Amino acid sequence: MNVQEVIDRVLEKSCGGRKLEQTCDVLASGSPDMEVTGIVTTFTATVDVIRKAIAIGANLIITHEPTYFTGADKLEWLENDPVYAAKKKLLDDNGIAIWRFHDHMHMAESDLIYDGLIRELGWEKNKLDPSSPWSYVIEPTTVGELTEFFKMKLGMNDLRIVGKPESPCSRIGILVGGGSLGLGREEMPMELMRDKELDVMVCGDITEWTLCAYVNDASMLGMNKAMIVVGHERTEEWGMKHLAEWLLPIAEGVPVTFVDAKEPFLYL
């Protein structure tokens, strides 16, 4: 198969072939007619991910997030940038294609990023609302214990929380990646907590003066509200992990490997 055939098969399986006219799901490197020797799935095509793809003989990376540092992978501002030049040289010298699978991945019949995360957590049967991936009911626990659960499941050593670790919880919201910013309506996460009577919101990205402030005030007022900040990468990487298995039936024997981009932060 060539790169374009892989892309077409992915879009057919995920969205019935439906294609957005305006999308960030484009090739950031390589050409559509390149023969595919191996596929790597990852949250973002970091330099380390690219090096691992080269090492295993894969020449197509399917990434969820941008390769060149802005949402639309704009290149004009990078013309004389040394980071861009070195990364592009690494890709060109090794014949690596990168295709972004973002918009169509989220608009699949079942959001494939959420599917991967929920599978990783083992919460497939815990949905509060079958039509939405945003809220869950779990066995009663505490915010502190839930935090330890996420650390174990997602391979993290540290997490930030807002609220009291000893607070009881069982109704949990999850907004992966930038979803916790509100998806265009900054009040959306707070409305979700209120309308679904959620005890804890698990977040990707946060704005500290919106949901963070709402939960902080609620906790100070004695209300049973808390927030766990997992981060963008750790909430979305699992969709790319399970995408590797999802791809196997359409890859026709081409090796498919998940490479963890890993959390970008060190905690000192």
Side-chain angles (χ1 to χ4, degrees), residues 37 59 80 105 132 135 230 239 245 248 257:
T37 59
N59 68 345
N80 299 309
M105 192 169 185
S132 169
S135 50
V230 176
E245 182 180 339
L248 287 176
T257 307

Side-chain angles (χ1 to χ4, degrees), residues 53-99:
I54 294 166
I56 64 174
N59 68 345
L60 171 60
I61 298 173
I62 299 179
T63 180
H64 189 62
E65 297 298 3
T67 300
Y68 291 125
F69 323 120
T70 62
D73 275 315
K74 294 179 181 179
L75 300 180
E76 296 84 358
W77 68 280
L78 290 169
E79 184 176 353
N80 299 309
D81 190 275
V83 178
Y84 165 72
K87 189 172 188 180
K88 185 175 186 301
K89 185 176 188 303
L90 178 65
L91 292 166
D92 291 346
D93 287 353
N94 291 279
I96 303 296
I98 299 178
W99 178 62

Side-chain angles (χ1 to χ4, degrees), residues 6-257:
V6 173
I7 293 170
D8 290 343
R9 290 183 184 196
V10 169
L11 295 179
E12 179 64 34
K13 183 175 179 180
S14 61
C15 301
R18 183 163 55 108
K19 297 180 182 179
L20 296 169
E21 290 186 9
Q22 292 187 330
T23 179
C24 60
D25 294 355
V26 297
L27 278 173
S29 176
S31 63
D33 58 355
M34 287 174 53
E35 183 178 351
V36 178
T37 59
I39 301 170
V40 159
T41 65
T42 191
F43 169 77
T44 186
T46 66
V47 168
D48 279 353
V49 168
I50 295 166
R51 287 171 174 159
K52 289 177 182 176
I54 294 166
I56 64 174
N59 68 345
L60 171 60
I61 298 173
I62 299 179
T63 180
H64 189 62
E65 297 298 3
T67 300
Y68 291 125
F69 323 120
T70 62
D73 275 315
K74 294 179 181 179
L75 300 180
E76 296 84 358
W77 68 280
L78 290 169
E79 184 176 353
N80 299 309
D81 190 275
V83 178
Y84 165 72
K87 189 172 188 180
K88 185 175 186 301
K89 185 176 188 303
L90 178 65
L91 292 166
D92 291 346
D93 287 353
N94 291 279
I96 303 296
I98 299 178
W99 178 62
R100 188 173 180 195
F101 186 31
H102 181 276
D103 296 350
H104 295 88
M105 192 169 185
H106 282 300
M107 68 179 253
E109 183 176 352
S110 180
D111 188 315
L112 296 173
I113 288 291
Y114 272 98
D115 286 352
L117 174 61
I118 300 312
R119 183 174 169 185
E120 198 72 17
L121 297 177
W123 285 7
E124 296 96 324
K125 298 180 180 179
N126 293 80
K127 273 189 180 181
L128 184 61
D129 179 355
S131 66
S132 169
W134 294 346
S135 50
Y136 301 81
V137 177
I138 62 172
E139 291 295 321
T141 185
T142 67
V143 173
E145 290 168 344
L146 183 62
T147 301
E148 292 300 318
F149 169 81
F150 272 92
K151 286 165 63 176
M152 176 189 68
K153 287 290 188 178
L154 306 185
M156 303 182 72
N157 294 322
D158 302 277
L159 279 174
R160 291 186 293 167
I161 73 166
V162 177
K164 300 177 177 66
E166 66 274 15
S167 295
C169 61
S170 64
R171 296 172 70 88
I172 314 299
I174 299 181
L175 291 171
V176 303
S180 42
L181 304 180
L183 301 174
R185 292 181 64 255
E186 62 181 356
E187 63 269 29
M188 183 273 280
M190 290 81 85
E191 291 176 341
L192 182 63
M193 285 201 84
R194 179 194 66 204
D195 296 346
K196 298 296 185 181
E197 299 180 334
L198 302 177
D199 306 316
V200 179
M201 184 67 77
V202 179
C203 299
D205 294 335
I206 66 163
T207 301
E208 294 189 10
W209 63 81
T210 55
L211 178 60
C212 180
Y214 178 84
V215 172
N216 200 29
D217 277 348
S219 179
M220 291 176 179
L221 289 165
M223 299 179 188
N224 190 43
K225 301 292 179 188
M227 180 170 73
I228 300 174
V229 185
V230 176
H232 200 129
E233 184 273 337
R234 285 289 93 178
T235 55
E236 293 201 327
E237 188 79 71
W238 316 104
M240 303 311 289
K241 174 183 176 180
H242 293 285
L243 182 69
E245 182 180 339
W246 182 91
L247 283 168
L248 287 176
I250 61 176
E252 287 194 351
V254 174
V256 183
T257 307

